[in-house]
Amino acid sequence: MPKLTTKTLSTTSHGNGLVILESDGHFIYPGLAQTIFDDAVFGPRILKRLQRLFVDHPDGLSESGHDWYFGYLVCAYTQTHFGIKKLLNYPSVTKDLFSLCLTKLSE
């Protein structure tokens, strides 16, 4: 069974923290994708990006492209809210965002 450890980074601007779990040397960020998706500024940007991607890719999107689709928004969010310029293992968050978008579309 993988060993999980928890680290917390606090932000200077909002006072809440970013929960970071480490599992087998990989960082994961539980709840971060949902937080970004629900954000008043970044959520609409994600949905706007998704709509644009459907126009640009009428044959459909590939799950393997989630880093490219949403990576810059994840990095912008963590830099803005937590002062983190390069989020380690950000693809774990972009994959979750992709799944959230697919769920939103199916509703």
Side-chain angles (χ1 to χ4, degrees), residues 17-54:
L18 173 63
V19 176
I20 303 170
L21 296 177
E22 184 176 354
S23 174
D24 292 335
H26 297 286
F27 295 105
I28 54 177
Y29 310 92
L32 181 57
Q34 186 69 53
T35 300
I36 297 170
F37 193 79
D38 293 341
D39 186 84
V41 173
F42 286 86
R45 289 180 183 175
I46 289 168
L47 294 176
K48 187 175 184 178
R49 175 73 177 147
L50 185 67
Q51 290 171 347
R52 183 66 208 175
L53 287 168
F54 281 126

PDB file of all heavy atoms in Angstrom, residues 17-54:
ATOM      1  N   GLY A  17      -5.331  27.076   2.803  1.00  0.00           N
ATOM      2  CA  GLY A  17      -4.149  26.362   2.350  1.00  0.00           C
ATOM      3  C   GLY A  17      -4.421  25.424   1.195  1.00  0.00           C
ATOM      4  O   GLY A  17      -5.552  25.061   0.920  1.00  0.00           O
ATOM      5  N   LEU A  18      -3.353  25.026   0.552  1.00  0.00           N
ATOM      6  CA  LEU A  18      -3.404  24.048  -0.514  1.00  0.00           C
ATOM      7  C   LEU A  18      -2.981  22.723   0.085  1.00  0.00           C
ATOM      8  O   LEU A  18      -1.875  22.600   0.606  1.00  0.00           O
ATOM      9  CB  LEU A  18      -2.452  24.450  -1.649  1.00  0.00           C
ATOM     10  CG  LEU A  18      -2.254  23.443  -2.772  1.00  0.00           C
ATOM     11  CD1 LEU A  18      -3.573  23.201  -3.507  1.00  0.00           C
ATOM     12  CD2 LEU A  18      -1.200  23.938  -3.737  1.00  0.00           C
ATOM     13  N   VAL A  19      -3.843  21.738   0.035  1.00  0.00           N
ATOM     14  CA  VAL A  19      -3.523  20.426   0.574  1.00  0.00           C
ATOM     15  C   VAL A  19      -2.748  19.650  -0.485  1.00  0.00           C
ATOM     16  O   VAL A  19      -3.170  19.550  -1.634  1.00  0.00           O
ATOM     17  CB  VAL A  19      -4.802  19.657   0.974  1.00  0.00           C
ATOM     18  CG1 VAL A  19      -4.459  18.245   1.433  1.00  0.00           C
ATOM     19  CG2 VAL A  19      -5.547  20.406   2.053  1.00  0.00           C
ATOM     20  N   ILE A  20      -1.621  19.132  -0.068  1.00  0.00           N
ATOM     21  CA  ILE A  20      -0.760  18.358  -0.960  1.00  0.00           C
ATOM     22  C   ILE A  20      -0.537  16.996  -0.322  1.00  0.00           C
ATOM     23  O   ILE A  20      -0.101  16.907   0.821  1.00  0.00           O
ATOM     24  CB  ILE A  20       0.601  19.050  -1.161  1.00  0.00           C
ATOM     25  CG1 ILE A  20       0.412  20.462  -1.708  1.00  0.00           C
ATOM     26  CG2 ILE A  20       1.481  18.224  -2.090  1.00  0.00           C
ATOM     27  CD1 ILE A  20       1.681  21.290  -1.702  1.00  0.00           C
ATOM     28  N   LEU A  21      -0.870  15.948  -1.049  1.00  0.00           N
ATOM     29  CA  LEU A  21      -0.587  14.600  -0.589  1.00  0.00           C
ATOM     30  C   LEU A  21       0.546  14.050  -1.442  1.00  0.00           C
ATOM     31  O   LEU A  21       0.589  14.284  -2.639  1.00  0.00           O
ATOM     32  CB  LEU A  21      -1.816  13.699  -0.727  1.00  0.00           C
ATOM     33  CG  LEU A  21      -3.033  14.059   0.106  1.00  0.00           C
ATOM     34  CD1 LEU A  21      -4.181  13.112  -0.209  1.00  0.00           C
ATOM     35  CD2 LEU A  21      -2.720  14.026   1.575  1.00  0.00           C
ATOM     36  N   GLU A  22       1.435  13.316  -0.808  1.00  0.00           N
ATOM     37  CA  GLU A  22       2.522  12.680  -1.534  1.00  0.00           C
ATOM     38  C   GLU A  22       2.318  11.172  -1.462  1.00  0.00           C
ATOM     39  O   GLU A  22       2.174  10.611  -0.380  1.00  0.00           O
ATOM     40  CB  GLU A  22       3.867  13.061  -0.939  1.00  0.00           C
ATOM     41  CG  GLU A  22       5.029  12.509  -1.727  1.00  0.00           C
ATOM     42  CD  GLU A  22       6.372  12.970  -1.181  1.00  0.00           C
ATOM     43  OE1 GLU A  22       6.392  13.809  -0.270  1.00  0.00           O
ATOM     44  OE2 GLU A  22       7.391  12.466  -1.673  1.00  0.00           O
ATOM     45  N   SER A  23       2.275  10.551  -2.613  1.00  0.00           N
ATOM     46  CA  SER A  23       2.097   9.113  -2.691  1.00  0.00           C
ATOM     47  C   SER A  23       3.145   8.554  -3.635  1.00  0.00           C
ATOM     48  O   SER A  23       3.148   8.875  -4.831  1.00  0.00           O
ATOM     49  CB  SER A  23       0.695   8.784  -3.209  1.00  0.00           C
ATOM     50  OG  SER A  23       0.557   7.409  -3.421  1.00  0.00           O
ATOM     51  N   ASP A  24       4.024   7.722  -3.107  1.00  0.00           N
ATOM     52  CA  ASP A  24       5.102   7.119  -3.906  1.00  0.00           C
ATOM     53  C   ASP A  24       5.896   8.164  -4.688  1.00  0.00           C
ATOM     54  O   ASP A  24       6.219   7.966  -5.865  1.00  0.00           O
ATOM     55  CB  ASP A  24       4.530   6.067  -4.865  1.00  0.00           C
ATOM     56  CG  ASP A  24       3.997   4.850  -4.136  1.00  0.00           C
ATOM     57  OD1 ASP A  24       4.460   4.581  -3.012  1.00  0.00           O
ATOM     58  OD2 ASP A  24       3.115   4.167  -4.692  1.00  0.00           O
ATOM     59  N   GLY A  25       6.159   9.281  -4.073  1.00  0.00           N
ATOM     60  CA  GLY A  25       6.963  10.319  -4.705  1.00  0.00           C
ATOM     61  C   GLY A  25       6.206  11.227  -5.658  1.00  0.00           C
ATOM     62  O   GLY A  25       6.784  12.117  -6.259  1.00  0.00           O
ATOM     63  N   HIS A  26       4.904  11.020  -5.829  1.00  0.00           N
ATOM     64  CA  HIS A  26       4.089  11.857  -6.700  1.00  0.00           C
ATOM     65  C   HIS A  26       3.159  12.710  -5.850  1.00  0.00           C
ATOM     66  O   HIS A  26       2.554  12.226  -4.899  1.00  0.00           O
ATOM     67  CB  HIS A  26       3.253  11.007  -7.661  1.00  0.00           C
ATOM     68  CG  HIS A  26       4.066  10.195  -8.597  1.00  0.00           C
ATOM     69  ND1 HIS A  26       4.729  10.733  -9.672  1.00  0.00           N
ATOM     70  CD2 HIS A  26       4.359   8.876  -8.599  1.00  0.00           C
ATOM     71  CE1 HIS A  26       5.379   9.784 -10.310  1.00  0.00           C
ATOM     72  NE2 HIS A  26       5.180   8.635  -9.679  1.00  0.00           N
ATOM     73  N   PHE A  27       3.048  13.968  -6.206  1.00  0.00           N
ATOM     74  CA  PHE A  27       2.180  14.870  -5.479  1.00  0.00           C
ATOM     75  C   PHE A  27       0.789  14.862  -6.097  1.00  0.00           C
ATOM     76  O   PHE A  27       0.646  14.871  -7.320  1.00  0.00           O
ATOM     77  CB  PHE A  27       2.733  16.293  -5.491  1.00  0.00           C
ATOM     78  CG  PHE A  27       4.036  16.415  -4.759  1.00  0.00           C
ATOM     79  CD1 PHE A  27       5.226  16.541  -5.453  1.00  0.00           C
ATOM     80  CD2 PHE A  27       4.063  16.389  -3.376  1.00  0.00           C
ATOM     81  CE1 PHE A  27       6.428  16.642  -4.781  1.00  0.00           C
ATOM     82  CE2 PHE A  27       5.263  16.486  -2.691  1.00  0.00           C
ATOM     83  CZ  PHE A  27       6.450  16.617  -3.391  1.00  0.00           C
ATOM     84  N   ILE A  28      -0.223  14.841  -5.250  1.00  0.00           N
ATOM     85  CA  ILE A  28      -1.603  14.968  -5.700  1.00  0.00           C
ATOM     86  C   ILE A  28      -2.270  16.046  -4.858  1.00  0.00           C
ATOM     87  O   ILE A  28      -1.860  16.323  -3.739  1.00  0.00           O
ATOM     88  CB  ILE A  28      -2.378  13.634  -5.626  1.00  0.00           C
ATOM     89  CG1 ILE A  28      -2.295  13.023  -4.218  1.00  0.00           C
ATOM     90  CG2 ILE A  28      -1.892  12.654  -6.673  1.00  0.00           C
ATOM     91  CD1 ILE A  28      -3.096  11.750  -4.042  1.00  0.00           C
ATOM     92  N   TYR A  29      -3.287  16.659  -5.426  1.00  0.00           N
ATOM     93  CA  TYR A  29      -3.924  17.825  -4.809  1.00  0.00           C
ATOM     94  C   TYR A  29      -5.432  17.587  -4.723  1.00  0.00           C
ATOM     95  O   TYR A  29      -6.187  18.025  -5.590  1.00  0.00           O
ATOM     96  CB  TYR A  29      -3.613  19.076  -5.634  1.00  0.00           C
ATOM     97  CG  TYR A  29      -2.150  19.216  -5.930  1.00  0.00           C
ATOM     98  CD1 TYR A  29      -1.603  18.693  -7.103  1.00  0.00           C
ATOM     99  CD2 TYR A  29      -1.306  19.835  -5.028  1.00  0.00           C
ATOM    100  CE1 TYR A  29      -0.237  18.799  -7.358  1.00  0.00           C
ATOM    101  CE2 TYR A  29       0.056  19.940  -5.270  1.00  0.00           C
ATOM    102  CZ  TYR A  29       0.581  19.423  -6.446  1.00  0.00           C
ATOM    103  OH  TYR A  29       1.935  19.524  -6.691  1.00  0.00           O
ATOM    104  N   PRO A  30      -5.883  16.884  -3.690  1.00  0.00           N
ATOM    105  CA  PRO A  30      -7.310  16.570  -3.595  1.00  0.00           C
ATOM    106  C   PRO A  30      -8.169  17.826  -3.499  1.00  0.00           C
ATOM    107  O   PRO A  30      -7.891  18.725  -2.730  1.00  0.00           O
ATOM    108  CB  PRO A  30      -7.412  15.731  -2.320  1.00  0.00           C
ATOM    109  CG  PRO A  30      -6.169  16.019  -1.553  1.00  0.00           C
ATOM    110  CD  PRO A  30      -5.129  16.434  -2.532  1.00  0.00           C
ATOM    111  N   GLY A  31      -9.180  17.855  -4.339  1.00  0.00           N
ATOM    112  CA  GLY A  31     -10.123  18.965  -4.314  1.00  0.00           C
ATOM    113  C   GLY A  31      -9.700  20.194  -5.092  1.00  0.00           C
ATOM    114  O   GLY A  31     -10.505  21.104  -5.287  1.00  0.00           O
ATOM    115  N   LEU A  32      -8.459  20.250  -5.558  1.00  0.00           N
ATOM    116  CA  LEU A  32      -8.001  21.461  -6.245  1.00  0.00           C
ATOM    117  C   LEU A  32      -8.729  21.666  -7.565  1.00  0.00           C
ATOM    118  O   LEU A  32      -9.131  22.783  -7.890  1.00  0.00           O
ATOM    119  CB  LEU A  32      -6.487  21.425  -6.469  1.00  0.00           C
ATOM    120  CG  LEU A  32      -5.886  22.648  -7.152  1.00  0.00           C
ATOM    121  CD1 LEU A  32      -6.190  23.935  -6.372  1.00  0.00           C
ATOM    122  CD2 LEU A  32      -4.381  22.483  -7.331  1.00  0.00           C
ATOM    123  N   ALA A  33      -8.935  20.607  -8.325  1.00  0.00           N
ATOM    124  CA  ALA A  33      -9.638  20.751  -9.610  1.00  0.00           C
ATOM    125  C   ALA A  33     -11.043  21.291  -9.396  1.00  0.00           C
ATOM    126  O   ALA A  33     -11.479  22.200 -10.116  1.00  0.00           O
ATOM    127  CB  ALA A  33      -9.674  19.418 -10.345  1.00  0.00           C
ATOM    128  N   GLN A  34     -11.740  20.772  -8.404  1.00  0.00           N
ATOM    129  CA  GLN A  34     -13.099  21.243  -8.115  1.00  0.00           C
ATOM    130  C   GLN A  34     -13.080  22.703  -7.671  1.00  0.00           C
ATOM    131  O   GLN A  34     -13.931  23.489  -8.069  1.00  0.00           O
ATOM    132  CB  GLN A  34     -13.749  20.373  -7.036  1.00  0.00           C
ATOM    133  CG  GLN A  34     -15.203  20.707  -6.776  1.00  0.00           C
ATOM    134  CD  GLN A  34     -16.108  20.333  -7.935  1.00  0.00           C
ATOM    135  OE1 GLN A  34     -16.088  19.205  -8.390  1.00  0.00           O
ATOM    136  NE2 GLN A  34     -16.888  21.281  -8.410  1.00  0.00           N
ATOM    137  N   THR A  35     -12.088  23.068  -6.879  1.00  0.00           N
ATOM    138  CA  THR A  35     -11.962  24.456  -6.423  1.00  0.00           C
ATOM    139  C   THR A  35     -11.744  25.395  -7.603  1.00  0.00           C
ATOM    140  O   THR A  35     -12.363  26.464  -7.682  1.00  0.00           O
ATOM    141  CB  THR A  35     -10.791  24.585  -5.427  1.00  0.00           C
ATOM    142  OG1 THR A  35     -11.048  23.731  -4.312  1.00  0.00           O
ATOM    143  CG2 THR A  35     -10.615  26.015  -4.947  1.00  0.00           C
ATOM    144  N   ILE A  36     -10.884  24.995  -8.539  1.00  0.00           N
ATOM    145  CA  ILE A  36     -10.634  25.814  -9.726  1.00  0.00           C
ATOM    146  C   ILE A  36     -11.893  25.887 -10.582  1.00  0.00           C
ATOM    147  O   ILE A  36     -12.280  26.955 -11.062  1.00  0.00           O
ATOM    148  CB  ILE A  36      -9.450  25.262 -10.533  1.00  0.00           C
ATOM    149  CG1 ILE A  36      -8.161  25.328  -9.708  1.00  0.00           C
ATOM    150  CG2 ILE A  36      -9.273  26.025 -11.850  1.00  0.00           C
ATOM    151  CD1 ILE A  36      -6.980  24.586 -10.325  1.00  0.00           C
ATOM    152  N   PHE A  37     -12.546  24.752 -10.766  1.00  0.00           N
ATOM    153  CA  PHE A  37     -13.758  24.677 -11.577  1.00  0.00           C
ATOM    154  C   PHE A  37     -14.863  25.560 -11.001  1.00  0.00           C
ATOM    155  O   PHE A  37     -15.616  26.184 -11.744  1.00  0.00           O
ATOM    156  CB  PHE A  37     -14.224  23.221 -11.656  1.00  0.00           C
ATOM    157  CG  PHE A  37     -15.272  22.960 -12.692  1.00  0.00           C
ATOM    158  CD1 PHE A  37     -14.935  22.822 -14.032  1.00  0.00           C
ATOM    159  CD2 PHE A  37     -16.596  22.840 -12.323  1.00  0.00           C
ATOM    160  CE1 PHE A  37     -15.903  22.583 -14.987  1.00  0.00           C
ATOM    161  CE2 PHE A  37     -17.567  22.596 -13.274  1.00  0.00           C
ATOM    162  CZ  PHE A  37     -17.226  22.458 -14.611  1.00  0.00           C
ATOM    163  N   ASP A  38     -14.961  25.620  -9.668  1.00  0.00           N
ATOM    164  CA  ASP A  38     -16.000  26.411  -9.001  1.00  0.00           C
ATOM    165  C   ASP A  38     -15.623  27.883  -8.822  1.00  0.00           C
ATOM    166  O   ASP A  38     -16.469  28.685  -8.418  1.00  0.00           O
ATOM    167  CB  ASP A  38     -16.311  25.820  -7.624  1.00  0.00           C
ATOM    168  CG  ASP A  38     -16.961  24.447  -7.710  1.00  0.00           C
ATOM    169  OD1 ASP A  38     -17.506  24.096  -8.771  1.00  0.00           O
ATOM    170  OD2 ASP A  38     -16.901  23.714  -6.700  1.00  0.00           O
ATOM    171  N   ASP A  39     -14.383  28.243  -9.117  1.00  0.00           N
ATOM    172  CA  ASP A  39     -13.918  29.614  -8.928  1.00  0.00           C
ATOM    173  C   ASP A  39     -14.681  30.566  -9.855  1.00  0.00           C
ATOM    174  O   ASP A  39     -14.936  30.251 -11.023  1.00  0.00           O
ATOM    175  CB  ASP A  39     -12.417  29.691  -9.219  1.00  0.00           C
ATOM    176  CG  ASP A  39     -11.846  31.048  -8.898  1.00  0.00           C
ATOM    177  OD1 ASP A  39     -11.510  31.286  -7.723  1.00  0.00           O
ATOM    178  OD2 ASP A  39     -11.728  31.880  -9.831  1.00  0.00           O
ATOM    179  N   ALA A  40     -15.026  31.739  -9.320  1.00  0.00           N
ATOM    180  CA  ALA A  40     -15.816  32.720 -10.071  1.00  0.00           C
ATOM    181  C   ALA A  40     -15.099  33.243 -11.317  1.00  0.00           C
ATOM    182  O   ALA A  40     -15.743  33.611 -12.299  1.00  0.00           O
ATOM    183  CB  ALA A  40     -16.192  33.887  -9.165  1.00  0.00           C
ATOM    184  N   VAL A  41     -13.778  33.265 -11.299  1.00  0.00           N
ATOM    185  CA  VAL A  41     -13.012  33.758 -12.438  1.00  0.00           C
ATOM    186  C   VAL A  41     -12.540  32.604 -13.328  1.00  0.00           C
ATOM    187  O   VAL A  41     -12.712  32.628 -14.548  1.00  0.00           O
ATOM    188  CB  VAL A  41     -11.799  34.594 -11.965  1.00  0.00           C
ATOM    189  CG1 VAL A  41     -10.900  34.969 -13.120  1.00  0.00           C
ATOM    190  CG2 VAL A  41     -12.271  35.835 -11.220  1.00  0.00           C
ATOM    191  N   PHE A  42     -11.956  31.583 -12.722  1.00  0.00           N
ATOM    192  CA  PHE A  42     -11.350  30.510 -13.501  1.00  0.00           C
ATOM    193  C   PHE A  42     -12.364  29.503 -14.030  1.00  0.00           C
ATOM    194  O   PHE A  42     -12.150  28.917 -15.094  1.00  0.00           O
ATOM    195  CB  PHE A  42     -10.253  29.809 -12.685  1.00  0.00           C
ATOM    196  CG  PHE A  42      -9.017  30.634 -12.575  1.00  0.00           C
ATOM    197  CD1 PHE A  42      -8.884  31.584 -11.578  1.00  0.00           C
ATOM    198  CD2 PHE A  42      -7.979  30.485 -13.480  1.00  0.00           C
ATOM    199  CE1 PHE A  42      -7.743  32.369 -11.477  1.00  0.00           C
ATOM    200  CE2 PHE A  42      -6.837  31.262 -13.395  1.00  0.00           C
ATOM    201  CZ  PHE A  42      -6.716  32.208 -12.395  1.00  0.00           C
ATOM    202  N   GLY A  43     -13.462  29.266 -13.326  1.00  0.00           N
ATOM    203  CA  GLY A  43     -14.485  28.333 -13.796  1.00  0.00           C
ATOM    204  C   GLY A  43     -15.041  28.706 -15.163  1.00  0.00           C
ATOM    205  O   GLY A  43     -15.038  27.877 -16.082  1.00  0.00           O
ATOM    206  N   PRO A  44     -15.478  29.943 -15.340  1.00  0.00           N
ATOM    207  CA  PRO A  44     -15.961  30.350 -16.663  1.00  0.00           C
ATOM    208  C   PRO A  44     -14.866  30.285 -17.745  1.00  0.00           C
ATOM    209  O   PRO A  44     -15.157  29.978 -18.895  1.00  0.00           O
ATOM    210  CB  PRO A  44     -16.423  31.795 -16.447  1.00  0.00           C
ATOM    211  CG  PRO A  44     -16.777  31.851 -14.998  1.00  0.00           C
ATOM    212  CD  PRO A  44     -15.782  30.953 -14.324  1.00  0.00           C
ATOM    213  N   ARG A  45     -13.629  30.528 -17.375  1.00  0.00           N
ATOM    214  CA  ARG A  45     -12.534  30.413 -18.339  1.00  0.00           C
ATOM    215  C   ARG A  45     -12.363  28.973 -18.800  1.00  0.00           C
ATOM    216  O   ARG A  45     -12.091  28.713 -19.970  1.00  0.00           O
ATOM    217  CB  ARG A  45     -11.227  30.921 -17.736  1.00  0.00           C
ATOM    218  CG  ARG A  45     -11.179  32.406 -17.546  1.00  0.00           C
ATOM    219  CD  ARG A  45      -9.867  32.839 -16.943  1.00  0.00           C
ATOM    220  NE  ARG A  45      -9.864  34.263 -16.701  1.00  0.00           N
ATOM    221  CZ  ARG A  45      -8.873  34.901 -16.097  1.00  0.00           C
ATOM    222  NH1 ARG A  45      -7.818  34.237 -15.667  1.00  0.00           N
ATOM    223  NH2 ARG A  45      -8.940  36.194 -15.904  1.00  0.00           N
ATOM    224  N   ILE A  46     -12.521  28.045 -17.869  1.00  0.00           N
ATOM    225  CA  ILE A  46     -12.405  26.631 -18.221  1.00  0.00           C
ATOM    226  C   ILE A  46     -13.518  26.244 -19.190  1.00  0.00           C
ATOM    227  O   ILE A  46     -13.273  25.609 -20.223  1.00  0.00           O
ATOM    228  CB  ILE A  46     -12.443  25.750 -16.955  1.00  0.00           C
ATOM    229  CG1 ILE A  46     -11.144  25.942 -16.177  1.00  0.00           C
ATOM    230  CG2 ILE A  46     -12.669  24.279 -17.308  1.00  0.00           C
ATOM    231  CD1 ILE A  46     -11.175  25.369 -14.781  1.00  0.00           C
ATOM    232  N   LEU A  47     -14.744  26.641 -18.877  1.00  0.00           N
ATOM    233  CA  LEU A  47     -15.864  26.299 -19.747  1.00  0.00           C
ATOM    234  C   LEU A  47     -15.756  26.987 -21.101  1.00  0.00           C
ATOM    235  O   LEU A  47     -16.076  26.386 -22.136  1.00  0.00           O
ATOM    236  CB  LEU A  47     -17.186  26.644 -19.058  1.00  0.00           C
ATOM    237  CG  LEU A  47     -17.488  25.797 -17.819  1.00  0.00           C
ATOM    238  CD1 LEU A  47     -18.761  26.279 -17.143  1.00  0.00           C
ATOM    239  CD2 LEU A  47     -17.562  24.322 -18.155  1.00  0.00           C
ATOM    240  N   LYS A  48     -15.262  28.207 -21.111  1.00  0.00           N
ATOM    241  CA  LYS A  48     -15.059  28.923 -22.376  1.00  0.00           C
ATOM    242  C   LYS A  48     -13.985  28.219 -23.203  1.00  0.00           C
ATOM    243  O   LYS A  48     -14.129  28.052 -24.422  1.00  0.00           O
ATOM    244  CB  LYS A  48     -14.655  30.367 -22.093  1.00  0.00           C
ATOM    245  CG  LYS A  48     -14.582  31.238 -23.311  1.00  0.00           C
ATOM    246  CD  LYS A  48     -14.288  32.675 -22.910  1.00  0.00           C
ATOM    247  CE  LYS A  48     -14.297  33.582 -24.100  1.00  0.00           C
ATOM    248  NZ  LYS A  48     -14.069  34.981 -23.731  1.00  0.00           N
ATOM    249  N   ARG A  49     -12.925  27.789 -22.547  1.00  0.00           N
ATOM    250  CA  ARG A  49     -11.857  27.052 -23.220  1.00  0.00           C
ATOM    251  C   ARG A  49     -12.397  25.742 -23.789  1.00  0.00           C
ATOM    252  O   ARG A  49     -12.085  25.367 -24.907  1.00  0.00           O
ATOM    253  CB  ARG A  49     -10.712  26.787 -22.237  1.00  0.00           C
ATOM    254  CG  ARG A  49      -9.608  25.930 -22.768  1.00  0.00           C
ATOM    255  CD  ARG A  49      -8.768  26.696 -23.779  1.00  0.00           C
ATOM    256  NE  ARG A  49      -7.680  25.860 -24.224  1.00  0.00           N
ATOM    257  CZ  ARG A  49      -7.163  25.894 -25.433  1.00  0.00           C
ATOM    258  NH1 ARG A  49      -7.607  26.765 -26.313  1.00  0.00           N
ATOM    259  NH2 ARG A  49      -6.195  25.106 -25.771  1.00  0.00           N
ATOM    260  N   LEU A  50     -13.222  25.061 -23.021  1.00  0.00           N
ATOM    261  CA  LEU A  50     -13.799  23.808 -23.472  1.00  0.00           C
ATOM    262  C   LEU A  50     -14.675  24.017 -24.708  1.00  0.00           C
ATOM    263  O   LEU A  50     -14.581  23.264 -25.684  1.00  0.00           O
ATOM    264  CB  LEU A  50     -14.609  23.178 -22.339  1.00  0.00           C
ATOM    265  CG  LEU A  50     -15.180  21.799 -22.610  1.00  0.00           C
ATOM    266  CD1 LEU A  50     -14.060  20.777 -22.747  1.00  0.00           C
ATOM    267  CD2 LEU A  50     -16.133  21.402 -21.495  1.00  0.00           C
ATOM    268  N   GLN A  51     -15.502  25.052 -24.688  1.00  0.00           N
ATOM    269  CA  GLN A  51     -16.348  25.352 -25.844  1.00  0.00           C
ATOM    270  C   GLN A  51     -15.499  25.639 -27.074  1.00  0.00           C
ATOM    271  O   GLN A  51     -15.790  25.185 -28.177  1.00  0.00           O
ATOM    272  CB  GLN A  51     -17.255  26.542 -25.541  1.00  0.00           C
ATOM    273  CG  GLN A  51     -18.333  26.222 -24.540  1.00  0.00           C
ATOM    274  CD  GLN A  51     -19.078  27.461 -24.081  1.00  0.00           C
ATOM    275  OE1 GLN A  51     -18.665  28.597 -24.321  1.00  0.00           O
ATOM    276  NE2 GLN A  51     -20.192  27.251 -23.388  1.00  0.00           N
ATOM    277  N   ARG A  52     -14.417  26.379 -26.882  1.00  0.00           N
ATOM    278  CA  ARG A  52     -13.525  26.709 -27.997  1.00  0.00           C
ATOM    279  C   ARG A  52     -12.849  25.449 -28.543  1.00  0.00           C
ATOM    280  O   ARG A  52     -12.679  25.300 -29.747  1.00  0.00           O
ATOM    281  CB  ARG A  52     -12.478  27.725 -27.542  1.00  0.00           C
ATOM    282  CG  ARG A  52     -11.561  28.188 -28.618  1.00  0.00           C
ATOM    283  CD  ARG A  52     -12.349  28.970 -29.653  1.00  0.00           C
ATOM    284  NE  ARG A  52     -11.679  28.840 -30.928  1.00  0.00           N
ATOM    285  CZ  ARG A  52     -12.145  29.306 -32.059  1.00  0.00           C
ATOM    286  NH1 ARG A  52     -13.289  29.944 -32.079  1.00  0.00           N
ATOM    287  NH2 ARG A  52     -11.492  29.143 -33.173  1.00  0.00           N
ATOM    288  N   LEU A  53     -12.471  24.558 -27.642  1.00  0.00           N
ATOM    289  CA  LEU A  53     -11.829  23.314 -28.069  1.00  0.00           C
ATOM    290  C   LEU A  53     -12.770  22.474 -28.922  1.00  0.00           C
ATOM    291  O   LEU A  53     -12.342  21.849 -29.890  1.00  0.00           O
ATOM    292  CB  LEU A  53     -11.349  22.511 -26.856  1.00  0.00           C
ATOM    293  CG  LEU A  53     -10.133  23.084 -26.151  1.00  0.00           C
ATOM    294  CD1 LEU A  53      -9.918  22.384 -24.806  1.00  0.00           C
ATOM    295  CD2 LEU A  53      -8.892  22.962 -27.019  1.00  0.00           C
ATOM    296  N   PHE A  54     -14.058  22.458 -28.580  1.00  0.00           N
ATOM    297  CA  PHE A  54     -15.012  21.708 -29.390  1.00  0.00           C
ATOM    298  C   PHE A  54     -15.156  22.304 -30.784  1.00  0.00           C
ATOM    299  O   PHE A  54     -15.340  21.578 -31.754  1.00  0.00           O
ATOM    300  CB  PHE A  54     -16.369  21.623 -28.703  1.00  0.00           C
ATOM    301  CG  PHE A  54     -16.427  20.575 -27.628  1.00  0.00           C
ATOM    302  CD1 PHE A  54     -16.825  20.905 -26.349  1.00  0.00           C
ATOM    303  CD2 PHE A  54     -16.082  19.257 -27.893  1.00  0.00           C
ATOM    304  CE1 PHE A  54     -16.880  19.946 -25.355  1.00  0.00           C
ATOM    305  CE2 PHE A  54     -16.131  18.285 -26.905  1.00  0.00           C
ATOM    306  CZ  PHE A  54     -16.532  18.629 -25.630  1.00  0.00           C
TER     307      PHE A  54
END
